[in-house]
Amino acid sequence: MTGLLEIESLTKDFGGIRAVDSLTFRVREGGITGIIGPNGAGKTTVFNLITGVYRPTTGDIRLEGVSAVGKRPDRIVALGIARTFQNIRLFNRQTCIENVMTPLLQRAECPLFSALLRMPRARSVERETREKAMRLLAAMGIEAYADARASTLPYGLQRKLEIARALAAEPKLLLLDEPAAGMNPEETRSLADLIVRVHDEFGVSILLIEHHMDLVMNICSSVVVMNFGALLAQGRPDEIRTDERVIRAYLGKKKRERTAAEGEESHAGACR
Amino acid sequence: MDYILSVVTLAAINMVAVLGLAVFTGFTGLFSFGHAAFVGVGAYASAILTYYYYVPFFAALAAGSVAAALVSLVIGIPTLRAKLRSDYFAIAILGFGEALRVILENLDITNGARGLPGIDQFTTLPIVLACLAFSVWITRNFLRSRYGAACIAIREDPVAAEMAGIDLFRTRLLSLVLSAFLCGLSGGLLAHFLSFIQPVMFTLVQSTQLLAAVIAGGMGSVTGPLIASFLFIVLPEALRVANMWRLVAYGLMLVLIMIYRPQGIMGYQELPDLFRRKVSAK
Ligand SMILES: Nc1ncnc2c1ncn2[C@@H]1O[C@H](COP(=O)(O)OP(=O)(O)O)[C@@H](O)[C@H]1O
Ligand SMILES: [Mg+2]
């Protein structure tokens, strides 16, 4: 059986730095998979490789058996992958609903001619898209902010808006890069519920990078552990929790990593 | 009276070109110091058609706009491919502006640097206003569509835009073509209003004035640049400033706008938004 996403011998060098090192793992359809690992382990780089922001040095990435390597990011989105960013990247001066409408509009059929002359087709597309976007905002509980500019939203809500925008691309696989970063324990718990609900309601498989161990252990059906760009282990959360190598490399110094993770937050633009 | 009419007509013609550049710079986030070249292409193409070939005015106007759009493809296709580098285009368009001037100055059909006199004066104020209204309407429709949404997304964040399923190259190219089309239309109207065109009318100076109107009017706005463009043409005339003080008046206006409205007159909003906000604030 092939997985939804297959990463095979994936390697990425930045000059002398090997950010990702012959990484191989699979994401099954229908689950929530977590990626954990210390800072600089290469997790975000893996997302950037999957979504075509970077080209792998070697290795392959397949979605439902179709290779995504060398494809433009927007083509990869069309294959069924959407993502959020570690350092939120919204269309800041757009309203919330416009942020969500933008990917929806790209998927709607509306020829240029019909758009320029605003023919009935263009009007109906706009109306339907607005309704769809409103439903997505409601699913994230932020419909009250529909007409507010994205940049004016509080941090936690910006993360939710980013998830809504990603869902608007109607993905099979949703990549979330540290969705709980900068949140307090209570916000983190409610975000965990939200992610599970998104998974159930939208029938989307999820791959998420997270530093909050509880969140990963509670909602993930499978966990991938990375260290120095390479795969350290993959398994069910209970297997990972007791894995000797994982404990030594990561869980054992959880506290220190957490502090480091918060430090990373302040580096604006660290995530491309 | 004739004088006022001609100033207003000139302002409205200029507004069509500024509108075009607003799409490209204000909404797509790409800068251009060369859009006057597209005005020049539209002016010469349409004027040559009516002058030498007796093509009907409206057909010539359309042909001039299309010619400008086609020329923009030639510049845009090789230079807009670079994802995160918009300077390739900026340099190429700058070079193109100069090249166009040299070409126009050395062709027989354009009558060289002396310019083309005796073009029929087909352009009237109602025609200009109709063209302006049509251009605003098309632009508004474009901006509300998936294509405009894609332009704005690219301006806001190209990486996130790609992740929204947007093809950066095609969207930027489309934005350029539409903006060049409108500049070409403006050029056709201008040629048939002045009845005389010359290569020096479409150089860096004019390109800079177009860009200044867009920035002073406000990025991400249609009405702002239109207002700025109107003010830039009409105010110096209304104040009856002597010719040598025109540039000073012009510079002073720019400075005042930048001091009192650093975002531009309408940065990221439209004229109707101002009233809406006032109402909802009550
Ligand atoms: N664009 C880049 N250029 C150079 N080095 C990079 C780039 N992106 C990431 N890296 C490096 O790759 C390594 C992995 O980074 P990253 O994937 O962001 O780690 P993580 O998300 O696991 O914290 C780090 O050493 C980082 O400095
Ligand atoms: Mg990261």
Side-chain angles (χ1 to χ4, degrees):
Chain A
M1 194 202 117
T2 61
L4 175 64
L5 177 76
E6 296 167 305
I7 306 281
E8 204 170 297
S9 316
L10 192 66
T11 298
K12 177 66 185 176
D13 293 332
F14 290 111
I17 302 168
R18 181 150 290 189
V20 177
D21 189 3
S22 357
L23 184 71
T24 299
F25 72 86
R26 274 177 189 199
V27 175
R28 281 176 180 279
E29 189 166 352
I32 301 181
T33 307
I35 301 185
I36 60 173
N39 279 314
K43 306 181 295 294
T44 297
T45 304
V46 170
F47 274 19
N48 284 335
L49 291 167
I50 294 173
T51 54
V53 176
Y54 300 143
R55 214 194 152 100
T57 306
T58 56
D60 200 10
I61 299 163
R62 285 186 300 271
L63 188 81
E64 294 184 313
V66 181
S67 178
V69 172
K71 289 203 160 67
R72 278 199 325 259
D74 59 290
R75 302 304 309 155
I76 293 173
V77 174
L79 287 182
I81 296 182
R83 75 177 281 188
T84 65
F85 297 88
Q86 184 172 344
N87 291 44
I88 306 173
R89 304 185 81 137
L90 288 166
F91 306 134
N92 276 325
R93 281 174 288 237
Q94 294 280 76
T95 62
C96 293
I97 195 157
E98 285 167 342
N99 265 270
V100 180
M101 283 176 74
T102 296
L104 285 171
L105 282 171
Q106 306 312 312
R107 300 178 63 77
E109 200 61 49
C110 184
L112 179 62
F113 187 72
S114 164
L116 286 179
L117 300 184
R118 199 160 166 70
M119 291 172 18
R121 168 102 208 123
R123 286 167 207 245
S124 68
V125 162
E126 187 183 318
R127 198 177 49 245
E128 284 158 23
T129 304
R130 188 169 291 278
E131 283 163 11
K132 256 194 208 169
M134 209 60 200
R135 283 199 293 277
L136 279 169
L137 289 177
M140 297 294 123
I142 52 174
E143 71 272 31
Y145 298 88
D147 295 321
R149 289 205 180 184
S151 59
T152 64
L153 251 57
Y155 183 80
L157 298 189
Q158 291 198 4
R159 290 231 172 256
K160 289 185 180 173
L161 177 57
E162 221 192 5
I163 296 175
R165 185 183 65 185
L167 286 171
E170 293 165 10
K172 295 172 190 143
L173 176 65
L174 176 62
L175 311 179
L176 302 175
D177 197 343
E178 301 199 19
M183 290 189 178
N184 64 34
E186 187 173 340
E187 289 171 323
T188 304
R189 257 193 307 280
S190 99
L191 183 80
D193 293 342
L194 184 72
I195 292 172
V196 171
R197 224 179 58 231
V198 163
H199 169 259
D200 297 345
E201 276 177 24
F202 291 87
V204 63
S205 307
I206 294 177
L207 179 62
L208 69 94
I209 297 173
E210 214 10 281
H211 272 288
H212 289 73
M213 223 17 92
D214 319 339
L215 186 145
V216 173
M217 292 301 169
N218 285 337
I219 70 172
C220 294
S221 47
S222 170
V223 179
V224 173
V225 189
M226 286 181 68
N227 200 20
F228 297 114
L231 183 78
L232 194 64
Q234 176 171 22
R236 291 191 313 271
D238 54 63
E239 294 168 345
I240 294 301
R241 216 193 303 261
T242 52
D243 189 297
E244 199 54 39
R245 293 161 304 176
V246 177
I247 292 172
R248 224 178 309 126
Y250 185 58
L251 292 181
K253 37 176 197 181
K254 191 164 101 187
K255 238 198 170 93
R256 201 163 6 119
E257 282 307 333
R258 268 205 184 149
T259 348
E262 275 143 27
E264 192 182 42
E265 278 311 298
S266 58
H267 292 295
C271 165
R272 271 145 277 260
Chain B
M1 195 60 216
D2 270 2
Y3 170 71
I4 294 177
L5 209 66
S6 74
V7 171
V8 172
T9 308
L10 261 186
I13 290 173
N14 193 246
M15 284 159 87
V16 175
V18 168
L19 183 65
L21 187 58
V23 170
F24 189 66
T25 298
F27 286 92
T28 319
L30 293 165
F31 286 82
S32 167
F33 285 97
H35 262 55
F38 299 129
V39 180
V41 170
Y44 271 94
S46 61
I48 287 168
L49 287 176
T50 58
Y51 188 82
Y52 293 104
Y53 301 100
Y54 309 105
V55 172
F57 176 49
F58 287 106
L61 264 189
S65 312
V66 170
L70 289 178
V71 167
S72 79
L73 276 177
V74 175
I75 303 164
I77 288 174
T79 56
L80 289 175
R81 277 191 196 281
K83 259 190 201 174
L84 302 174
R85 307 278 315 258
S86 46
D87 40 353
Y88 293 151
F89 173 81
I91 292 165
I93 186 77
L94 207 61
F96 172 73
E98 277 310 289
L100 181 77
R101 188 179 54 81
V102 173
I103 292 168
L104 292 176
E105 280 176 359
N106 288 286
L107 285 181
D108 285 335
I109 199 164
T110 60
N111 204 24
R114 286 184 309 279
L116 203 57
I119 305 164
D120 280 310
Q121 267 189 307
F122 290 126
T123 302
T124 61
L125 184 56
I127 290 177
V128 175
L129 291 181
C131 287
L132 179 60
F134 175 74
S135 305
V136 171
W137 182 65
I138 290 277
T139 303
R140 289 273 298 142
N141 293 346
F142 176 81
L143 291 172
R144 288 176 78 160
S145 75
R146 56 175 292 186
Y147 306 99
C151 290
I152 296 169
I154 291 175
R155 178 194 72 201
E156 293 293 302
D157 190 325
V159 176
E162 279 191 296
M163 278 296 118
I166 292 163
D167 182 337
L168 291 190
F169 170 63
R170 285 184 55 169
T171 305
R172 283 173 170 158
L173 193 63
L174 182 62
S175 167
L176 175 65
V177 169
L178 176 60
S179 77
F181 182 91
L182 293 176
C183 285
L185 177 60
S186 170
L189 291 169
L190 185 71
H192 295 85
F193 176 67
L194 298 178
S195 92
F196 169 70
I197 51 176
Q198 222 181 348
V200 290
M201 293 162 67
F202 311 104
T203 59
L204 185 59
V205 178
Q206 289 78 15
S207 291
T208 311
Q209 284 175 359
L210 292 178
L211 192 61
V214 170
I215 292 170
M219 295 281 284
S221 172
V222 168
T223 44
L226 290 180
I227 293 169
S229 153
F230 188 79
L231 290 182
F232 283 175
I233 302 253
V234 169
L235 267 191
E237 300 289 343
L239 298 174
R240 301 207 167 255
V241 204
N243 228 352
M244 70 183 263
W245 293 101
R246 286 269 159 92
L247 271 179
V248 178
Y250 180 77
L252 195 66
M253 269 195 287
L254 263 184
V255 170
L256 286 177
I257 288 171
M258 285 301 140
I259 289 173
Y260 291 103
R261 309 227 17 140
Q263 286 260 56
I265 298 172
M266 292 276 152
Y268 301 103
Q269 53 187 350
E270 300 296 348
L271 195 55
D273 296 343
L274 294 184
F275 299 110
R276 213 169 294 147
R277 201 146 303 159
K278 290 254 166 61
V279 170
S280 63
K282 276 180 191 165

